[in-house]
């Protein structure tokens, strides 16, 4: 079996660390592994498949011998270094927002639009984490009947803003217990005991960038510019795993029973829906898991073409690292 030289840019970050774990767990055929980060981490040791590796600083020359480069170090690092990786002959799978809407860059969730991967010209984009989790549930519905309208509210974990944001929530908890002043750096306000209706910057239309990513990226992956989508993205004091309340209007009638069947048959989705026994997906129990879970599946009271449900997924795994590794698997298989 062919083996590949794989680099992870941002190997010390929340997503980068998970990429390492997933490459190992899924036995990705790796010849050389190259963990890259900033000069701050250069020289630090990490373990991969039982062997010790030294983190190197990311530079223009980092990619000379690399076949696949998984980027998760933020959009500005992708803008700076991905072109060097492509020039060196590597295929870039980019977790940042940098290239997602470029028409020459496929945006891929392997369960949703695997065929798009092969249109790449050196870069493949990994979608926004909140969008990935939502589209996992939308795709089986869309294959049954076109979706006309989506109204979604997200309940996003701290980890979506990186390892340091998770630490801030943890530090705030300790500060609160010790009656110390609460430190706020990563979010606009204290996240502990709070809910912040802002994820990313506001745009001139009153929506945030995160909300518009859900609109634009969903349309791109479903190849349907006509879907009406309105999103409200909210940060909640949860360490890991995003939750989303979704309402859809389809062209055709749908029953909750039909929807459950469609979700159950779709890879990467599990139904967890028994309201009488208080069974529904929750982020506490989805953290660290690969599948997204759907529950609270009900006929929306707007009508027979409408459905409401609740979906939860680990945004560091399916929402980022796992999806990126699945894209790499599609490429090599
Ligand atoms: P470092 O740890 O050296 O700062 P997160 O999203 O969890 O905050 O992680 C961000 C990742 O991006 C980290 O691995 C971080 O490395 C990396 N990173 C930040 N700045 C750079 C840079 N200039 N060059 C390469 N990697 C970077």
């Amino acid at each position: 079996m062919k083996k590949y030289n794989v680099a992870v840019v941002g190997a010390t970050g929340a997503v980068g660390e998970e990429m390492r774990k997933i490459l190992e767990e899924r036995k990705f055929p790796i010849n050389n592994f190259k963990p890259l980060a900033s000069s701050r981490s250069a020289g630090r040791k990490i373990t991969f498949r039982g062997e010790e590796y030294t983190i190197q600083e990311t530079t223009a020359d980092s990619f000379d011998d690399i076949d696949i480069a998984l980027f998760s170090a933020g959009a500005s690092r992708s803008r700076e270094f991905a072109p060097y990786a492509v020039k060196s002959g590597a295929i870039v799978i980019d977790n940042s927002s940098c290239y997602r809407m470029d028409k020459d860059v496929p945006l891929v969730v392997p369960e949703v639009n695997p065929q798009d991967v092969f249109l790449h010209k050196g870069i493949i984009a990994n979608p926004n984490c909140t969008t990935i989790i939502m589209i996992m549930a939308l795709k089986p519905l869309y294959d049954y009947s076109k979706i006309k309208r989506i109204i979604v509210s997200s309940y996003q974990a701290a980890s979506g803003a990186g390892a340091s944001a998770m630490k801030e929530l943890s530090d705030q908890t300790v500060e609160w217990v010790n009656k110390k002043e609460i430190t706020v750096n990563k979010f606009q306000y204290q996240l502990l005991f709070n809910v912040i209706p802002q994820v990313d910057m506001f745009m001139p239309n009153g929506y945030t960038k995160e909300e518009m990513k859900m609109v634009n990226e969903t349309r791109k992956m479903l190849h349907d510019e006509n879907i009406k989508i309105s999103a409200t993205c909210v940060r909640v004091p949860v360490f890991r795993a995003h939750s989303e309340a979704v309402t859809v209007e389809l062209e055709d009638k749908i029953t909750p029973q039909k929807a459950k069947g469609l979700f159950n048959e779709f890879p990467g989705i599990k139904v967890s829906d028994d309201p009488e026994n208080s069974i529904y997906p929750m982020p506490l129990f989805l953290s660290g898991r690969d599948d997204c879970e759907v529950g609270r599946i009900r006929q929306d009271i707007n009508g027979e073409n409408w459905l409401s449900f609740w979906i939860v997924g680990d945004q560091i795994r399916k929402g980022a690292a796992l999806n990126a590794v699945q894209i790499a698997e599609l490429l090599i298989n």
Side-chain angles (χ1 to χ4, degrees):
M1 184 198 246
K2 187 169 181 235
K3 291 190 172 176
Y4 299 83
N5 295 341
V6 176
V8 172
V9 182
T12 53
V15 173
E17 284 198 2
E18 203 71 26
M19 283 172 167
R20 259 197 283 142
K21 269 193 226 160
I22 293 174
L23 287 167
E24 194 168 329
E25 278 168 25
R26 294 172 75 93
K27 299 190 169 49
F28 194 85
I30 293 181
N31 181 29
N32 277 333
F33 178 67
K34 196 171 200 179
L36 298 166
S38 76
S39 55
R40 291 180 293 275
S41 310
R44 239 183 76 188
K45 307 277 186 218
I46 54 149
T47 307
F48 179 66
R49 295 189 307 194
E51 280 178 47
E52 204 172 70
Y53 288 82
T54 305
I55 309 247
Q56 297 172 40
E57 181 182 355
T58 315
T59 67
D61 303 324
S62 295
F63 306 96
D64 286 348
D65 50 351
I66 294 299
D67 301 308
I68 298 173
L70 302 172
F71 272 69
S72 190
S76 48
R77 260 72 65 181
S78 295
R79 192 167 299 111
E80 185 178 352
F81 294 113
Y84 292 115
V86 174
K87 225 188 219 162
S88 307
I91 297 176
V92 170
I93 301 171
D94 183 30
N95 193 52
S96 82
S97 59
C98 182
Y99 299 104
R100 285 182 193 147
M101 295 312 296
D102 278 19
K103 66 171 181 17
D104 285 338
V105 174
L107 182 69
V108 176
V109 172
E111 293 88 345
V112 173
N113 57 335
Q115 69 287 351
D116 290 348
V117 149
F118 303 101
L119 302 174
H120 79 83
K121 296 184 173 142
I123 301 177
I124 299 156
N126 210 35
N128 162 271
C129 50
T130 322
T131 311
I132 293 181
I133 292 163
M134 176 174 75
I135 207 165
M136 286 293 288
L138 294 181
K139 175 66 175 167
L141 298 175
Y142 194 90
D143 287 344
Y144 164 76
S145 164
K146 262 193 161 180
I147 296 174
K148 287 167 71 174
R149 189 188 313 264
I150 303 163
I151 298 157
V152 55
S153 295
S154 70
Y155 302 69
Q156 299 185 213
S159 51
S164 53
M166 252 198 285
K167 183 171 181 306
E168 180 160 308
L169 179 59
S170 166
D171 289 348
Q172 289 180 350
T173 313
V174 175
E175 286 162 353
W176 186 83
V177 168
N178 292 314
K179 300 190 168 46
K180 295 234 174 82
E181 197 182 328
I182 304 279
T183 311
V184 177
N185 285 317
K186 289 299 288 187
F187 302 109
Q188 297 80 5
Y189 296 93
Q190 172 185 327
L191 186 59
L192 181 72
F193 305 130
N194 200 8
V195 160
I196 304 173
Q198 177 181 359
V199 180
D200 213 328
M201 297 154 51
F202 280 99
M203 313 277 289
N205 69 356
Y207 285 83
T208 62
K209 259 190 171 175
E210 181 87 351
E211 289 160 355
M212 292 314 295
K213 284 175 194 171
M214 293 189 78
V215 174
N216 297 325
E217 295 180 19
T218 301
R219 287 177 175 161
K220 179 167 174 173
M221 283 185 282
L222 291 176
H223 302 286
D224 186 344
E225 286 304 310
N226 296 320
I227 304 182
K228 293 193 169 82
I229 309 175
S230 183
T232 305
C233 290
V234 180
R235 189 77 66 186
V236 295
V238 163
F239 280 115
R240 198 167 155 154
H242 289 353
S243 308
E244 300 176 41
V246 187
T247 296
V248 291
E249 183 191 9
L250 307 180
E251 277 189 354
D252 302 304
K253 290 179 186 169
I254 188 157
T255 63
Q257 215 44 43
K258 177 73 193 170
K260 272 182 205 173
L262 295 170
F263 290 141
N264 261 326
E265 281 164 23
F266 197 71
I269 291 262
K270 282 213 168 80
V271 172
S272 169
D273 194 17
D274 181 6
E276 282 187 16
N277 291 304
S278 299
I279 304 287
Y280 29 70
M282 283 180 282
L284 190 59
F285 308 114
L286 265 294
S287 297
R289 299 256 309 274
D290 284 349
D291 288 330
C292 298
E293 277 190 9
V294 191
R296 301 288 322 275
I297 302 164
R298 59 205 189 274
Q299 192 88 62
D300 189 275
I301 51 174
N302 275 303
E304 291 177 319
N305 295 29
W306 292 70
L307 188 81
S308 284
F309 58 88
W310 171 252
I311 181 161
V312 181
D314 184 323
Q315 91 290 355
I316 299 182
R317 284 185 83 89
K318 183 56 194 167
L322 172 62
N323 199 71
V325 174
Q326 286 177 309
I327 291 174
E329 289 171 347
L330 264 183
L331 280 172
I332 66 163
N333 291 324

